[in-house]
Amino acid sequence: MNIISGKFPLRWIAALCWLMIVGCSNDEPPVQDCVHDDREVPASGASDYVLHTEETICDNFAHSDTVLLYLVKRGEARRIEVFEYVPAMTRDEPRVTWVSPGRLRIDFRAVESVVKTYQVNELQVNIYVATPPPRP
């Protein structure tokens, strides 16, 4: 029996072609690459330090798991971690005020949860959350 003329191999070829067509016509969106967002937070007042947010967004709703706030002294690369949190669904941006060049105040309306608060030895950093997250 010739392989080409046999019915069994032709069925397999037809099935394989059908699977390729179905696989190529899938309407599912492609897997989204993670976007790394690192930006400066606007602040009122003056200081040699600049506050940044760092987050990685990996879903279609632009809602990351955690956001890290960190300080960088102008002209230096060393990062000083300040506060890591899970943002509230309202995506409240922190309101930042340099009360003096070495004293920072960060205000939030709400955060979903606090991941970690870091000890900042060279500056005074006060963080206030108007609606604190529920305790586990």
Side-chain angles (χ1 to χ4, degrees):
M1 175 165 109
N2 187 340
I3 293 177
I4 301 292
S5 65
K7 291 182 180 179
F8 187 72
L10 289 177
R11 287 183 188 166
W12 276 105
I13 293 171
L16 183 60
C17 289
W18 181 79
L19 286 173
M20 288 174 52
I21 290 170
V22 169
C24 291
S25 65
N26 190 355
D27 289 338
E28 291 290 320
V31 176
Q32 180 182 0
D33 292 333
C34 292
V35 177
H36 185 72
D37 186 20
D38 190 338
R39 58 192 167 88
E40 185 176 323
V41 179
S44 60
S47 178
D48 289 338
Y49 292 86
V50 178
L51 186 68
H52 288 258
T53 62
E54 176 185 84
E55 63 182 309
T56 302
I57 300 168
C58 294
D59 63 19
N60 293 327
F61 302 105
H63 187 271
S64 67
D65 289 336
T66 61
V67 177
L68 172 67
L69 295 179
Y70 68 92
L71 290 161
V72 176
K73 190 170 187 176
R74 295 181 200 277
E76 294 183 8
R78 181 176 63 97
R79 295 170 22 149
I80 304 167
E81 285 87 4
V82 175
F83 186 65
E84 191 172 355
Y85 66 99
V86 177
M89 291 303 290
T90 57
R91 303 296 298 161
D92 182 31
E93 293 293 322
R95 286 166 301 289
V96 179
T97 305
W98 285 101
V99 179
S100 68
R103 190 168 168 212
L104 178 66
R105 179 182 170 114
I106 305 170
D107 293 303
F108 288 93
R109 282 193 207 105
V111 298
E112 191 172 305
S113 65
V114 175
V115 177
K116 187 172 183 182
T117 301
Y118 297 86
Q119 182 66 40
V120 180
N121 294 323
E122 51 200 276
L123 298 167
Q124 180 180 348
V125 181
N126 296 319
I127 300 169
Y128 299 95
V129 179
T131 308
R135 297 199 174 212

